[in-house]
Amino acid sequence: MSIQWVRAAAAASLLAVVLAGCSGKNAENHKDGMDHTKMNTDSAPSSATAAHADAAAKSNTEATPVIRQTEFTLTAQPGNLEVESGKTLPVWTFNNAVPGPEIRVQQGDRVKITLQNELPEPVSIHWHGLPVPIAMDGIPGVTQNAVPPGQAFTYEFTANTAGTYWYHSHQDSVNQIDRGLYGSFIVEPKGDRADRDYVVMLDEWMSQGGAADAGTGSMDHSQMAADPHSSAVKNDPHSAHGTPGAAAAAGHDMSMYDLLTINGKSGASVQSLAVKQGDNVRLRIINAGYKSHVLHLHGHEWRVTATDGQPVHNPQPLKDTLLAIAPGERYDVEFQANNPGQWYLEAHGTEPGVKGLKIQLAYEGASGHHSDAPNDSAANLPVFNLTQYGQPGKSAFTLEQPYDLVYTMDLGTEEKNGTAVYTINGKAYPETDAVKVKKGDNVMVKLVNRSKSDDHPMHLHGHFFQVLSKNGKPLEGSPIVKDTLNLKPGETYVVAFQADNSGDWMFHCHDLHHASAGMVTHLVYSDYKSTFVADPKAGNKPE
Ligand code: C2O
Ligand code: CU
């Protein structure tokens, strides 16, 4: 079989089998000088090998551009991301950038974005947090068919709610977000007043290459990297969940994510943020990864002005406090640049790769001033507490008011047939029971994390919910409105929302390893009838 034939077939999933079967012979793919260990480990799911064959032919990604238009195309395409000097990963991109373009629109804008797919697998785009009409939500098999290679789909909606959002593929998302298919989506309010407004997007990678499937469970990746003949094992989808039983007992091992990035770069390669004395600075921090991080801003007092894009009422200044941010969450942080020098915003902790998760604030014309040193292992700093922050203000819901529907979601980790599954009320998707509402219903949901060691950052599509209580204690400060809420083991939260956006919406854990292993349900409007009919041949993978 000739190499030409192999390349021509890049779009076919058959390719994975072909390459796996002749991994020692596909010399052409190695000519670009990439090292073999990286290539070898990039082959866990069948799509990975195909993606890699394509990525090897591509040049490096470009810096994330800012798009300030309301009509444009996002092209999903392969590329190579240099995360730090000497370390390049094969990635999937929007417009050859990771993160994809920073999209900035004005509140009220009508936007029309065409997704063009130049990847070997079908893709989609979900606008995380932004309430769009159901047909634009980007869920393969639920709201649309996944967009096949070579084809396009146009998303059109009005950006009604200001705030910090993000977009990502929702097709096989545990793998596709892992590969880099995400970007920020900022809806600017009219008359905004920040002098500097930066996106700080967090993610984690496997330094050996590869995407989600390669790392689930307790497989030893260093060994996989070293063994050039192990590709057959890695291409076996059934090996994806690792040692039977181990995962459920030990909780979910995420240690394979040892390379942490901010805006697609790690450590010294992260582009610093320029400020000048007197500026009002806003950082829009977005966690696109599957792990929580705690961040420390040095040298400044700061305020949390929004959570998941929704404003906090009268936020007070904080100092030497850690900000925890879970998968899918966003925090807007604002501060006055009043301390010239060079300062870090950095992750604290001992997780693998933590030292790479830092970004510098660099005052213009401030040489000779403070030059900061990292102190990422400093412990004992208080952690920002969402439930006692800001001041009470206008609130849509209370704990006492009547609700049309009260629903409990018990979130659990179980072992079924030797693998870990993540359950809602004891069931794994697609067996989970939908939350059934009627338009106009006021809905109260009690979320309980019964897992021993897993966080569950729960994300509801198409709606915001207000957080009313944590562990039985009502919130004391500002009303807190979110679309993604992290529950640590043992925690209980009560949230409420109005069913005001008809459709069939996903409600799932944004540790997408958990979602792909069961922790997904739907919020279904009984008075809504979808006109979409899924094509069984589209290869839709909604979770
Ligand atoms: Cu960020 Cu269902 O997704
Ligand atoms: Cu979870």
Side-chain angles (χ1 to χ4, degrees):
M1 180 181 305
S2 82
I3 293 295
Q4 260 60 40
W5 188 89
V6 172
R7 286 198 158 274
S13 58
L14 174 66
L15 180 69
V17 180
V18 173
L19 285 185
C22 63
S23 58
K25 288 183 274 174
N26 56 342
E28 181 181 311
N29 285 330
H30 294 205
K31 270 186 189 162
D32 59 359
M34 292 179 63
D35 78 48
H36 289 222
T37 43
K38 258 185 283 171
M39 302 193 57
N40 185 45
T41 51
D42 178 45
S43 53
S46 59
S47 58
T49 311
H52 179 76
D54 250 7
K58 294 284 172 182
S59 57
N60 279 357
T61 53
E62 286 150 33
T64 299
V66 178
I67 294 185
R68 287 187 172 277
Q69 293 154 28
T70 53
E71 207 171 319
F72 55 91
T73 296
L74 288 175
T75 302
Q77 60 188 104
N80 290 316
L81 174 68
E82 188 175 9
V83 285
E84 59 189 1
S85 95
K87 185 75 201 173
T88 299
L89 299 174
V91 291
W92 286 2
T93 76
F94 288 114
N95 295 6
N96 199 29
V98 176
E102 177 178 322
I103 301 171
R104 285 185 175 264
V105 302
Q106 298 284 305
Q107 186 172 10
D109 277 352
R110 185 82 185 156
V111 300
K112 198 170 168 187
I113 301 172
T114 297
L115 165 62
Q116 174 69 40
N117 185 10
E118 301 301 338
L119 285 166
E121 294 277 325
V123 299
S124 79
I125 296 182
H126 167 61
W127 314 93
H128 181 122
L130 192 68
V132 297
I134 184 67
M136 297 292 115
D137 203 44
I139 313 305
V142 179
T143 69
Q144 66 172 100
N145 289 312
V147 182
Q151 294 193 30
F153 182 91
T154 298
Y155 296 91
E156 195 173 354
F157 52 83
T158 305
N160 283 318
T161 315
T164 304
Y165 306 97
W166 61 300
Y167 60 93
H168 59 74
S169 179
H170 218 290
Q171 164 76 3
D172 186 20
S173 47
V174 64
N175 283 305
Q176 295 199 353
I177 298 178
D178 231 23
R179 290 174 185 285
L181 284 178
Y182 63 80
S184 58
F185 191 99
I186 311 302
V187 183
E188 298 179 344
K190 304 238 154 74
D192 193 24
R193 274 192 316 254
D195 299 306
R196 309 271 179 162
D197 189 315
Y198 290 116
V199 168
V200 174
M201 214 164 180
L202 317 178
D203 195 8
E204 67 264 342
W205 307 79
M206 297 175 219
S207 62
Q208 302 288 336
D213 274 1
T216 315
S218 50
M219 297 171 73
D220 179 347
H221 296 275
S222 49
Q223 240 218 309
M224 288 168 54
D227 178 9
H229 303 294
S230 64
S231 52
V233 175
K234 282 171 286 146
N235 278 295
D236 173 6
H238 303 292
S239 70
H241 295 288
T243 310
H252 186 181
D253 178 17
M254 300 283 272
S255 61
M256 67 284 186
Y257 289 118
D258 57 349
L259 179 58
L260 306 186
T261 56
I262 295 183
N263 298 337
K265 300 282 180 186
S266 191
S269 300
V270 179
Q271 175 74 50
S272 62
L273 304 174
V275 300
K276 70 176 190 311
Q277 188 158 11
D279 279 349
N280 284 312
V281 183
R282 178 186 295 127
L283 306 180
R284 299 176 184 268
I285 307 172
I286 305 172
N287 189 348
Y290 305 150
K291 292 173 68 176
S292 290
H293 303 287
V294 290
L295 301 176
H296 184 206
L297 175 64
H298 291 188
H300 296 78
E301 282 193 338
W302 50 281
R303 298 166 202 262
V304 174
T305 54
T307 62
D308 296 350
Q310 305 314 296
V312 173
H313 186 236
N314 287 345
Q316 68 269 29
L318 299 162
K319 197 161 202 264
D320 288 327
T321 299
L322 299 174
L323 176 69
I325 181 165
E329 273 194 308
R330 291 89 64 210
Y331 287 93
D332 290 7
V333 162
E334 293 187 23
F335 61 92
Q336 250 234 325
N338 53 12
N339 195 2
Q342 167 267 108
W343 301 93
Y344 281 109
L345 169 70
E346 64 171 4
H348 278 215
T350 54
E351 57 181 323
V354 70
K355 290 188 184 323
L357 204 72
K358 47 172 58 76
I359 187 166
Q360 278 184 6
L361 292 176
Y363 279 70
E364 290 165 355
S367 60
H369 284 86
H370 177 89
S371 184
D372 201 13
N375 66 342
D376 44 74
S377 55
N380 299 328
L381 292 173
V383 180
F384 170 70
N385 181 356
L386 198 64
T387 67
Q388 297 176 318
Y389 185 65
Q391 288 178 351
K394 198 167 148 275
S395 165
F397 297 100
T398 66
L399 282 164
E400 293 76 28
Q401 77 183 73
Y403 285 91
D404 299 294
L405 179 68
V406 178
Y407 194 84
T408 298
M409 286 167 77
D410 273 348
L411 310 171
T413 306
E414 289 173 35
E415 194 185 313
K416 282 189 181 155
N417 306 322
T419 42
V421 294
Y422 297 89
T423 57
I424 299 175
N425 297 336
K427 296 180 182 171
Y429 190 71
E431 266 81 54
T432 45
D433 300 309
V435 183
K436 294 199 181 87
V437 297
K438 283 193 314 297
K439 186 150 192 195
D441 279 356
N442 286 327
V443 184
M444 175 184 262
V445 180
K446 183 178 178 189
L447 295 151
V448 186
N449 183 352
R450 299 195 183 277
S451 297
K452 288 205 175 54
S453 54
D454 294 299
D455 279 19
H456 297 304
M458 295 301 292
H459 171 50
L460 173 60
H461 287 212
H463 303 72
F464 297 104
F465 50 76
Q466 186 179 338
V467 183
L468 296 177
S469 73
K470 176 185 179 183
N471 299 336
K473 273 186 67 189
L475 261 66
E476 288 170 21
S478 168
I480 296 294
V481 176
K482 295 176 69 47
D483 54 67
T484 308
L485 177 67
N486 190 39
L487 288 94
K488 292 191 194 309
E491 288 183 345
T492 297
Y493 282 87
V494 172
V495 306
F497 65 92
Q498 187 174 46
D500 59 0
N501 193 5
S502 290
D504 175 352
W505 302 96
M506 291 208 129
F507 196 169
H508 65 89
C509 182
H510 222 283
D511 176 336
L512 297 174
H513 290 280
H514 297 178
S516 64
M519 197 170 279
V520 177
T521 189
H522 287 243
L523 171 71
V524 181
Y525 284 64
S526 55
D527 41 2
Y528 160 81
K529 188 85 190 79
S530 175
T531 52
F532 167 72
V533 183
D535 176 355
K537 292 201 280 292
N540 293 317
K541 285 192 185 178
E543 68 295 324

